[in-house]
Amino acid sequence: MFGRDRSLTSLLNDTFIRGILFQALIAIGLLLSINWLADNTLSNLANQGKTLGFDFLTRTAGFQISPTLGTWMLDYKVGKSTYTDVYLIGIINTFIVALLGILAATVIGFTVGIMRLSDNLVFRWFSSFYVEVVRNVPLLLQLFFWYFAVLRAMPSKREKLELVEGVAGLNITGLYLPAPIVSDGFVYSFLSLIGAVAITFLVRRYALKRQAETGQILPMFWIGLGIIIILPVLVHYLNGSPLDWSLPEFKDTGPKLRQGYQSGAGMVLVPEMLAVWLALSLYTAAFIAEIVRAGILAVSRGQTEAAYALGVRPNITLRLVVIPQALRVIIPPLTSQYLNLTKNSSLAVAIAYPELVSVFAGTALNQVGKEVEMIFMMMMVYLTFSLMTAAFMNWFNSRVKLVER
Amino acid sequence: MAQPQNTAEQSVDQKTIVSMRNVNKWFGQFHVLRDINLSVDKGERIVVCGPSGSGKSTLIRCLNRLEKHQDGDIFVHGIELNNDVKNIDEIRREVGMVFQHFNLFPHLSILENCMLAPIWVRKTPRAEAEEIAMHFLTRVKIPEQASKYPGQLSGGQQQRVAIARALCMQPQLMLFDEPTSALDPEMIKEVLDTMVELADDGMTMICVTHEMGFARRVADRVIFMDEGQIVEQNEPEAFFNNPQSDRTKLFLSQILGH
Amino acid sequence: MTRKIIKAAPKKTTMKKAIPSDIDTQAGYVRIEDAPLLPPPPSEVGVTGWLYKNIFASMSDFGSIPAALKSVFVAVSTLFILYFLITQISGLLDFAIFSAVWSDPEGLKRQACWTVEQGGALPNGWHAACWPFIEAKAKFIFYGAYPNDDLWRVNLTYALGGFMLAWVMIERLPYRKIVGILLLTVYPVMATVLLTGGAFSISTGTIGGATILGLALITIGRLGKAGYVSGAFGDLALVAGVCGWLVILFAAVLAVFAIDFDLEAIDTRDWGGLLITLVVAITGIVASLPLGILLALGRRSEMPVARFLCTVFIEFWRGVPLITVLFMASVMLPLFMPEGVNFDMLLRALIGVTLFSAAYMAEVVRGGLQAIDKGQYEGADAVGLSYWQSMRLIILPQALTHVIPGIVNTFIGLFKDTALVSIVGIFDLLGAAQSTLADAAWSTPVQGLTGYLVVAVIFFVFCFGMSRYSMFMERKLNRSHKS
């Protein structure tokens, strides 16, 4: 690759040797730089009286963390839980807000994307307006909007905004929802749900077989829906409904300081989490909408025309011809957006939602001071997410590649 | 070819497959089809030609409702073509179409391409659908490609598959929209040969094409369209040797000149 | 055999299966007179046509039950969305324009935007923008704490940059390439001097040493070119030559930085607001472009070591959130440097942003390189160009034009991401706005909303403008490729 100016044999030798020489130089240069950086780091740390080591992970953490899924799962207690717990709580909270965000963003994104292609002008305008505004304002600003402008405007701690009478309410301290209390028999209800899904799969196989043999088509969608809804509900009630709900309790009498939503009853979603979830979902949904639109547009009109010309109805055309081709184009950038959403959850550090960055690089780092180790641990988590996503995308792309010459 | 002049009710298996009366169509302000009157009998082979923009493709696309006409009546195989979805479905079952750019489904194999419509529209059992598909693939002379994918085939092979796919629905009428215009020269012959065989077997067809050799060989009538209207129509010999309208003469000189 | 068409019998037929076959389609038909060119029916054009196509078409399919349900759903949603849009937009206009307070002639400050309840003059229940607040804080939002006497320097930097950028973007002007190169090389140096004040303490020894090193490397390169050094070392010599030129350039920049232009030295901590946002975003993009190109070439290289290292580098920076990069830069960078080397906070953030952006830029450039037909590479080889020559003269110019939309999109993302530096303590536009909220003299219930609204609008204008430009460029490139 370095140019030709000699006979073939010496050329080959030269290119080979040059290549090796060049790469050796790069490797040596890199090793030297790393060595220099490491040297500097160690001496700087020594001057500050610090050492490298991960033993801080077993030390107890002395700070409070907002009630979230992570603290609930690991039963976090100040003075008892260690920094390892803090790390895990951060990961769990990142994961939960990312998962919820991905679900919401996908639903909203697909809806808005399809709206952008609609015949209806109002739908088109609205979705274009939404996409353009949301995409061109920084996510951090949108996060502040939801947190400061919207959620802070909620009623104060001693009041509430009822969403559903006695069941769900909202105030400045969060969204209060009923908490499920499962008793023994619930496991059967859950199993019957799984069973219903399995039965639906079996029915579908039977239906496909029947179609292959006789040509008749069963309305699988309605049948499947029916099975999945009716069976578990039936089992649940026959079993005595072993699922109780702890409703959120609101007191508006008695000493002023004790009024408001009582702890211990119901479940609370803190406003930090709500703000992060809303901001992440709506922001990512705008990008997903564009991806979905591009994917659908990528399927040429001729495909639908050919299917219609054969007499295939629009819904079947969509299912068998358009969507498979559109998904091929949609899924790779879609997984990228999912990854971006997960990374963007780190912005929660600005409003103190206790996800990984805010709890580990924020509070914990101030207490422990081991920057190199802690930042390394944080980055490892995100890198793992990224690599898993990249692996999935590669696998997906190789699976669905259109066969060509 | 003269039609008996009567408006009496006719039975369903009549001779007239297509009947277009005073059909007009607009794209926005543009009057793309003007006062189209056309009748096609069973077994007739029609070739439609004309300069680009004359509305030839629009004409045949109106026949299976890929385009909507705004004025006039269209009857296909006795069924009126209007906004009634049931009518449209029925008509599309009886009319097959072959496109300029093939429009094969790239994510399905050749066999699956051909089996899709019989299974999902005519509710044919899978084994029978496969038989039908192989039968027609053999008819277009590429049965060995059945398990390949469209991306692996040449243009000529793809178009022949498209013809087979349309035939699998066993339509009463075949529409061809410039089927050879997107093909390399050496592949045009194989597709035209397939179409000629189809015509010789008695298939009613309306063909938009520039291939005048094909028209001479196969057509019962050649229709010349210009600026949205049918300007002239005649038997091929009379059409090519003795064009009446000036516009027809101009067009023929351009297309047959080189 | 010419016959005129016999007019058809009655148009409408009541019997479904009856086909009027009285159309005379005898072979041998010639049209005598043209059919009239008629205007389309009302359902196609005009206001009714437009209304139908764009709104009512999606609501009028009642052919079957699912279709009817869908039509009703669409109709209800349309009404709901219209209602929502109208109320929100009118609310926004009311807040920002119609009910807003525009002036504070008596210098009351926050009192000018208080309701009667709170002690001011506005009616109770008033809730709109307080523009005098923004007027008072405007300088802070746009320049930060930059001394007022030296604002001309910032304005000059903005003006010069904008002028040169416009020159490069407008098609018809001559010498666009030269201005472009100046914009990427000379302008950053000038801007740094203007904004910081220049006169860095760089010893003549360092400058001299760099110059000598550069000259030495260039000599080696010359020797290599002339053939005195053979084989594999010959290429090393050429590489050394190129490095020599870079070192000389570096020395020149150092020299410029060392000159005392008699400008007041202004610490970067005094910079703030839009100035910081622009500095971070533009530096990030400009610095990451050459690095990104090198990384992209390295990732596509045939040398396994280079390819591996570049891939690892790119995937690492793309796999972590920017906020962690900023944390890393602000906290760990001082650790990596030898003792005594003090790093300006802004510089740390700039380094972090540049490395982060370079990884994304590398992927964008790589996409462009992949899109280039293999024939171009082969053609360059066939003519006898070396790797670097073919890259410089043939491949990269094509690849870069191809990816300009991608680069602009990366820039838009970077511009938005600069808001994150406010988390590590650097006052960008968002940070400056936030700090103005702490001013008690202007404390009103609408202080926050007004401030954030202005920031949101500024970001929107920049980002939306750039995205329109990117789409314009994409359309232009597509057209030129098609022809």
Side-chain angles (χ1 to χ4, degrees):
Chain A
M1 282 216 83
F2 275 87
R4 295 140 217 262
D5 51 359
R6 280 169 242 255
S7 73
L8 196 60
T9 39
S10 62
L11 176 76
L12 272 165
N13 283 339
D14 263 330
T15 324
F16 190 57
I17 295 177
R18 278 182 197 153
I20 302 242
L21 198 65
F22 214 66
Q23 292 178 79
L25 270 176
I26 295 178
I28 293 176
L30 194 70
L31 285 170
L32 283 176
S33 323
I34 294 181
N35 195 32
W36 180 71
L37 286 175
D39 255 346
N40 289 338
T41 316
L42 286 173
S43 64
N44 282 327
L45 283 176
N47 286 345
Q48 292 175 25
K50 297 188 200 169
T51 52
L52 282 180
F54 286 96
D55 43 299
F56 71 94
L57 287 171
T58 49
R59 267 196 275 153
T60 53
F63 55 92
Q64 187 62 265
I65 300 183
S66 298
T68 43
L69 186 69
T71 51
W72 180 74
M73 275 178 72
L74 259 62
D75 202 24
Y76 182 76
K77 290 213 180 10
V78 182
K80 267 228 210 125
S81 305
T82 64
Y83 282 105
T84 321
D85 290 326
V86 172
Y87 184 57
L88 291 175
I89 288 175
I91 296 180
I92 292 173
N93 286 337
T94 302
F95 189 69
I96 189 75
V97 83
L99 190 65
L100 290 176
I102 285 175
L103 285 173
T106 309
V107 169
I108 300 175
F110 270 79
T111 313
V112 175
I114 294 173
M115 271 170 83
R116 273 200 104 182
L117 294 169
S118 160
D119 282 336
N120 190 317
L121 191 70
V122 173
F123 283 0
R124 277 206 312 269
W125 272 359
F126 172 70
S127 44
S128 301
F129 182 68
Y130 164 78
V131 168
E132 287 304 325
V133 168
V134 170
R135 283 200 317 172
N136 287 312
V137 175
L139 179 55
L140 192 57
L141 193 50
Q142 295 183 40
L143 184 60
F144 286 161
F145 169 73
W146 290 110
Y147 188 60
F148 292 116
V150 177
L151 289 171
R152 280 280 172 86
M154 289 294 124
S156 73
K157 191 169 171 167
R158 319 285 167 204
E159 298 159 2
K160 64 174 157 66
L161 174 70
E162 289 262 33
L163 291 174
V164 177
E165 187 79 39
V167 170
L170 190 57
N171 73 16
I172 204 171
T173 57
L175 172 67
Y176 289 87
L177 299 170
I181 307 174
V182 300
S183 27
D184 273 338
F186 184 73
V187 71
Y188 293 115
S189 309
F190 188 66
L191 284 177
S192 69
L193 180 66
I194 299 187
V197 174
I199 293 178
T200 311
F201 270 109
L202 288 175
V203 173
R204 185 164 177 272
R205 277 191 44 190
Y206 164 74
L208 285 176
K209 192 151 163 289
R210 185 160 170 270
Q211 183 185 12
E213 278 166 17
T214 65
Q216 287 169 341
I217 303 171
L218 280 178
M220 252 338 285
F221 177 70
W222 298 110
I223 294 179
L225 200 64
I227 296 179
I228 291 181
I229 291 182
I230 294 178
L231 187 63
V233 169
L234 209 61
V235 168
H236 186 81
Y237 275 112
L238 286 179
N239 214 0
S241 301
L243 179 68
D244 251 331
W245 295 96
S246 155
L247 292 176
E249 219 184 284
F250 185 82
K251 244 197 348 206
D252 52 5
T253 54
K256 190 85 180 178
L257 279 179
R258 294 267 173 83
Q259 284 181 18
Y261 275 107
Q262 308 297 306
S263 65
M267 159 171 88
V268 63
L269 295 178
V270 292
E272 287 79 20
M273 189 207 173
L274 289 174
V276 174
W277 184 20
L278 275 169
L280 281 178
S281 310
L282 290 174
Y283 184 74
T284 315
F287 291 88
I288 292 181
E290 280 302 283
I291 293 172
V292 167
R293 186 174 83 110
I296 296 180
L297 286 179
V299 182
S300 78
R301 257 240 103 208
Q303 293 285 302
T304 13
E305 287 184 350
Y308 287 175
L310 286 167
V312 184
R313 308 220 71 228
N315 58 330
I316 309 239
T317 308
L318 210 58
R319 191 153 66 92
L320 296 179
V321 175
V322 178
I323 289 182
Q325 293 187 61
L327 278 181
R328 275 177 172 79
V329 178
I330 289 176
I331 292 200
L334 188 66
T335 40
S336 263
Q337 283 306 319
Y338 288 166
L339 187 60
N340 280 346
L341 189 147
T342 311
K343 289 191 290 175
N344 282 337
S345 66
S346 56
L347 259 67
V349 70
I351 58 168
Y353 168 71
E355 49 75 56
L356 185 58
V357 174
S358 92
V359 97
F360 214 56
T363 337
L365 186 60
N366 281 337
Q367 309 251 334
V368 174
K370 296 229 172 201
E371 299 98 355
V372 180
E373 298 89 327
M374 294 174 88
I375 292 190
F376 171 75
M377 285 171 73
M378 254 184 1
M379 290 189 149
M380 277 303 114
V381 173
Y382 287 109
L383 279 176
T384 316
F385 277 138
S386 304
L387 290 176
M388 285 192 334
T389 312
F392 167 77
M393 274 218 294
N394 284 335
W395 169 82
F396 178 81
N397 276 335
S398 56
R399 269 271 300 212
V400 301
K401 222 163 36 161
L402 289 176
V403 184
E404 280 169 23
R405 314 210 228 203
Chain B
M1 303 269 178
Q3 295 297 309
Q5 310 250 332
N6 68 75
T7 48
E9 198 181 312
Q10 303 206 309
S11 57
V12 182
D13 49 353
Q14 65 264 309
K15 276 186 68 189
T16 313
I17 300 275
V18 171
S19 157
M20 297 174 83
R21 285 199 316 157
N22 305 315
V23 172
N24 283 287
K25 178 174 169 55
W26 289 264
F27 279 137
Q29 284 286 8
F30 179 50
H31 196 173
V32 60
L33 287 179
R34 289 150 62 172
D35 195 37
I36 300 287
N37 286 283
L38 177 65
S39 164
V40 178
D41 283 345
K42 197 170 164 65
E44 263 199 288
R45 286 84 49 114
I46 314 275
V47 166
V48 182
C49 65
S52 63
S54 53
K56 345 185 263 295
S57 290
T58 315
L59 179 81
I60 61 170
R61 283 160 67 92
C62 282
L63 290 176
N64 63 0
R65 204 63 169 180
L66 287 182
E67 301 287 351
K68 271 195 226 187
H69 62 284
Q70 279 95 32
D71 193 27
D73 301 312
I74 300 183
F75 286 83
V76 177
H77 202 57
I79 309 162
E80 187 180 353
L81 190 57
N82 51 22
N83 282 324
D84 190 347
V85 173
K86 291 203 187 53
N87 283 9
I88 299 177
D89 281 346
E90 238 188 291
I91 288 175
R92 284 178 174 168
R93 281 200 282 271
E94 302 305 325
V95 175
M97 187 157 187
V98 176
F99 298 84
Q100 183 179 353
H101 295 290
F102 334 137
N103 287 337
L104 292 180
F105 305 131
H107 59 298
L108 301 174
S109 74
I110 302 299
L111 196 61
E112 285 165 346
N113 262 277
C114 294
M115 284 165 48
L116 187 114
I119 289 178
W120 291 94
V121 182
R122 291 208 193 275
K123 310 228 185 336
T124 320
R126 202 183 171 81
E128 201 183 313
E130 201 172 320
E131 245 183 80
I132 297 175
M134 285 310 295
H135 167 80
F136 284 107
L137 283 174
T138 317
R139 184 122 166 245
V140 300
K141 303 210 175 54
I142 38 172
E144 71 281 359
Q145 309 283 3
S147 53
K148 293 231 179 97
Y149 282 79
Q152 295 171 294
L153 267 54
S154 73
Q157 290 170 320
Q158 287 189 52
Q159 193 62 298
R160 284 189 281 156
V161 170
I163 296 175
R165 179 176 67 172
L167 289 175
C168 283
M169 285 295 284
Q170 293 163 316
Q172 299 288 327
L173 167 68
M174 282 288 276
L175 302 173
F176 291 87
D177 189 358
E178 304 209 33
T180 56
S181 298
L183 293 174
D184 291 333
E186 65 271 15
M187 293 192 259
I188 294 182
K189 183 176 186 307
E190 68 194 60
V191 174
L192 287 180
D193 285 344
T194 313
M195 289 163 69
V196 167
E197 274 177 37
L198 205 54
D200 287 343
D201 282 340
M203 172 66 78
T204 318
M205 53 166 67
I206 305 179
C207 205
V208 173
T209 183
H210 296 300
E211 297 291 329
M212 294 302 132
F214 172 77
R216 263 196 237 256
R217 162 84 175 74
V218 142
D220 295 314
R221 253 191 291 163
V222 180
I223 295 180
F224 172 67
M225 276 184 75
D226 189 22
E227 292 181 352
Q229 354 177 47
I230 295 180
V231 174
E232 185 169 342
Q233 65 177 338
N234 216 331
E235 288 169 332
E237 285 309 314
F239 183 84
F240 288 114
N241 297 333
N242 196 10
Q244 299 293 318
S245 158
D246 284 337
R247 287 191 277 185
T248 320
K249 290 183 192 153
L250 178 63
F251 175 73
L252 284 176
S253 71
Q254 287 166 336
I255 200 167
L256 295 174
H258 64 279
Chain C
M1 290 335 141
T2 53
R3 292 266 291 257
K4 234 164 99 170
I5 189 169
I6 296 177
K7 253 314 177 233
K11 282 185 194 264
K12 294 262 181 285
T13 167
T14 48
M15 292 167 277
K16 186 181 176 201
K17 302 281 187 199
I19 292 199
S21 51
D22 53 353
I23 304 164
D24 192 320
T25 52
Q26 185 166 11
Y29 155 82
V30 172
R31 185 177 282 279
I32 304 294
E33 45 184 56
D34 278 357
L37 264 175
L38 298 169
S43 65
E44 275 298 294
V45 285
V47 181
T48 21
W50 182 88
L51 269 178
Y52 178 75
K53 265 209 267 258
N54 283 307
I55 300 187
F56 296 111
S58 50
M59 305 181 204
S60 44
D61 180 12
F62 289 97
S64 61
I65 301 214
L69 281 174
K70 181 165 169 259
S71 299
V72 169
F73 176 72
V74 168
V76 170
S77 317
T78 309
L79 283 172
F80 183 71
I81 291 177
L82 270 176
Y83 172 74
F84 175 80
L85 277 178
I86 292 175
T87 48
Q88 294 300 313
I89 294 184
S90 67
L92 188 66
L93 286 176
D94 181 67
F95 181 91
I97 302 180
F98 300 123
S99 298
V101 172
W102 286 93
S103 63
D104 179 26
E106 294 157 34
L108 294 170
K109 293 205 178 179
R110 63 184 179 176
Q111 252 192 314
C113 298
W114 272 354
T115 62
V116 171
E117 262 179 348
Q118 296 155 341
L122 296 162
N124 287 334
W126 176 86
H127 187 80
C130 184
W131 293 121
F133 165 58
I134 298 294
E135 214 187 303
K137 298 290 170 189
K139 181 247 166 190
F140 193 69
I141 292 178
F142 285 98
Y143 301 101
Y146 213 88
N148 287 2
D149 291 334
D150 294 301
L151 283 183
W152 64 270
R153 286 154 59 176
V154 181
N155 293 332
L156 182 59
T157 316
Y158 283 163
L160 209 55
F163 176 70
M164 291 171 86
L165 190 63
W167 191 322
V168 172
M169 290 201 311
I170 298 180
E171 290 266 284
R172 279 166 277 174
L173 296 172
Y175 304 123
R176 278 164 69 209
K177 271 224 187 82
I178 299 182
V179 174
I181 294 179
L182 287 178
L183 187 61
L184 291 175
T185 50
V186 173
Y187 176 72
V189 176
M190 259 173 54
T192 316
V193 170
L194 271 176
L195 292 173
T196 56
F200 298 142
S201 51
I202 304 173
S203 66
T204 26
T206 326
I207 301 179
T211 322
I212 295 176
L213 177 63
L215 287 172
L217 288 173
I218 293 177
T219 327
I220 299 180
R222 282 282 161 78
L223 290 174
K225 245 204 207 149
Y228 287 107
V229 191
S230 66
F233 293 102
D235 282 309
L236 275 181
L238 291 173
V239 172
V242 171
C243 289
W245 281 108
L246 287 174
V247 174
I248 294 275
L249 224 81
F250 183 62
V253 169
L254 285 180
V256 172
F257 280 163
I259 302 177
D260 189 345
F261 289 101
D262 201 26
L263 293 169
E264 182 97 15
I266 299 179
D267 195 288
T268 57
R269 267 175 298 213
D270 290 331
W271 302 7
L274 188 59
L275 173 62
I276 288 272
T277 302
L278 286 173
V279 164
V280 174
I282 294 177
T283 313
I285 278 288
V286 168
S288 66
L289 190 54
L291 190 56
I293 294 176
L294 283 175
L295 286 170
L297 290 175
R299 191 165 181 177
R300 280 170 57 88
S301 153
E302 287 173 5
M303 295 188 284
V305 170
R307 198 168 55 231
F308 175 73
L309 287 174
C310 289
T311 311
V312 165
F313 185 90
I314 293 174
E315 291 306 322
F316 174 77
W317 295 105
R318 272 172 26 115
V320 292
L322 180 57
I323 191 74
T324 53
V325 171
L326 288 175
F327 270 128
M328 203 176 85
S330 64
V331 155
M332 282 168 70
L333 210 49
L335 286 179
F336 287 156
M337 292 292 122
E339 221 189 298
V341 173
N342 218 346
F343 256 106
D344 186 78
M345 268 304 285
L346 183 61
L347 191 56
R348 292 184 219 174
L350 284 177
I351 292 177
V353 165
T354 304
L355 290 171
F356 183 76
S357 168
Y360 286 87
M361 195 62 81
E363 286 299 282
V364 170
V365 172
R366 192 167 77 106
L369 290 171
Q370 269 175 332
I372 293 186
D373 199 37
K374 205 155 158 264
Q376 295 289 323
Y377 293 96
E378 291 171 355
D381 269 348
V383 179
L385 293 173
S386 75
Y387 176 75
W388 290 107
Q389 277 174 324
S390 59
M391 278 297 146
R392 187 167 60 92
L393 295 170
I394 299 191
I395 307 293
L396 282 179
Q398 290 185 56
L400 290 177
T401 1
H402 221 62
V403 301
I404 286 182
I407 294 180
V408 177
N409 285 336
T410 312
F411 183 59
I412 297 174
L414 192 60
F415 193 79
K416 290 186 292 175
D417 284 342
T418 56
L420 268 68
V421 299
S422 59
I423 300 182
V424 286
I426 298 176
F427 277 122
D428 76 313
L429 188 55
L430 191 55
Q434 276 182 301
S435 68
T436 60
L437 297 182
D439 187 350
W442 283 98
S443 167
T444 66
V446 296
Q447 190 185 21
L449 278 178
T450 315
Y452 283 128
L453 182 63
V454 170
V455 172
V457 168
I458 295 178
F459 270 113
F460 181 78
V461 165
F462 270 94
C463 295
F464 187 69
M466 288 192 279
S467 75
R468 287 284 124 175
Y469 177 70
S470 151
M471 286 203 277
F472 165 72
M473 282 302 290
E474 231 174 320
R475 268 197 299 259
K476 220 164 56 100
L477 288 171
N478 281 338
R479 275 204 304 266
S480 68
H481 278 215
K482 275 201 184 129
S483 61

